[in-house]
Amino acid sequence: MGKPNKEGKRSQVYYLYYRLGGRGSKERRLALSNSSVITVSEARQLAKQYIGDVSRGIDVFLQKK
């Protein structure tokens, strides 16, 4: 969870954690979106798309930047 905003509410961000190259490789964290923008099911669908790219060896973290 993030820090509270001016109203005292916290924002929630959906993340995708993945590794390219197996257990010995560096773990990446890709922010998918804020919970106020997309629903949980939409975040899951988006994560599935990115996981497909990761399984093909594409580093989605670098692609998104």
Side-chain angles (χ1 to χ4, degrees):
M1 285 226 173
K3 294 180 181 179
N5 61 14
K6 293 177 184 177
E7 294 86 33
K9 295 181 180 179
R10 294 179 188 263
S11 64
Q12 188 174 13
V13 178
Y14 301 118
Y15 290 99
L16 171 64
Y17 292 88
Y18 67 94
R19 293 176 195 259
L20 282 175
R23 290 185 179 191
S25 63
K26 183 178 178 182
E27 183 177 82
R28 294 277 199 179
R29 180 178 78 168
L30 177 68
L32 298 174
S33 186
N34 192 311
S35 63
S36 63
V37 178
I38 64 174
T39 65
V40 173
S41 61
E42 291 170 331
R44 286 182 182 141
Q45 288 288 63
L46 188 57
K48 284 180 186 179
Q49 292 172 4
Y50 284 128
I51 288 170
D53 290 342
V54 169
S55 68
R56 290 189 293 278
I58 300 169
D59 193 348
V60 292
F61 179 82
L62 296 176
Q63 235 183 12
K64 191 159 181 181
K65 282 189 173 186

